[in-house]
Amino acid sequence: MKSVLEFRARKGQAPISMVSAYTHWEARFLAESPVDCVLVGDSLATVLDGEPTTFAATPEIMARHTAAVARGLGEPGQRKLIVADFPFLAARRGLAAAVDTAALLLRAGAQAVKIEGIDGHADVIAHLVESGVPVMGHLGLTPQAVHALGGYKVQGKNPVAADALLRQARALEAAGAFGLVLECVPEALGREITAAIGVPTIGIGAGAGCDGQVLVMADLLGLTSGHRPRFVREFAPAGAAARAGLAAFHAATVERSFPGAAESY
Ligand code: KIV
């Protein structure tokens, strides 16, 4: 999938797979994979840097990682759709600042940006869309609002909260968003929102009723350690392979079987 037009056209057709990745080497794997599209997520602050929140991601950091991912995915025009995250508070500094952030991310190689929430910055989203910048929404558990939400918790569990998310999803579509991520909401609400709007929903902890699914690459490969959210499935045991590889390198160094003749000059 190379464009937001292809992304939108998949609604009601085939499910969309999306992977959140931050580095050139991850992008090389993704380029060779059938995965549809790539998100340069601000989760890089937690996954790569070990931060407790995503707040440390800045527009400049997001642009640097977007450029690395774009280079890994191949030539412009040939590469998969890249969506880059608007980082912490970047949509809350007014239209001019939002335009500057979008320009940084699109110049770095993204074709679209993802913005968490909508209440209070619907005008920013509409302005970017009118300016030719495709915007993806992100509702439910929005990590940039972790303190307001009281932690990384499932959202939309009661009727009032569910109605608010449905209203926000409709507002995002009305503002011109080409799709939206739904994070950590009950399966039934994921289905309801997906049926209520005309653009694809991409779920992460939002059940099988969404139009697609997204996971962080390090999570789905089993490369992360510590608490694993319930929505993560380990699709390949790359973490176990990495641990075995490191132990083998250490042992070969200690017993002087590495480097061998073929690895020496
Ligand atoms: O930052 C990110 O990687 C994300 C996905 C987990 C949806 O927003």
Side-chain angles (χ1 to χ4, degrees), residues 20 22 39 41-43 85 114 116 138 181 183 204 214 216:
S20 184
Y22 329 112
L39 170 69
D42 62 352
S43 56
D85 258 339
K114 174 164 78 59
E116 292 187 10
H138 184 157
V181 165
E183 181 163 351
I204 176 162
V214 60
V216 169

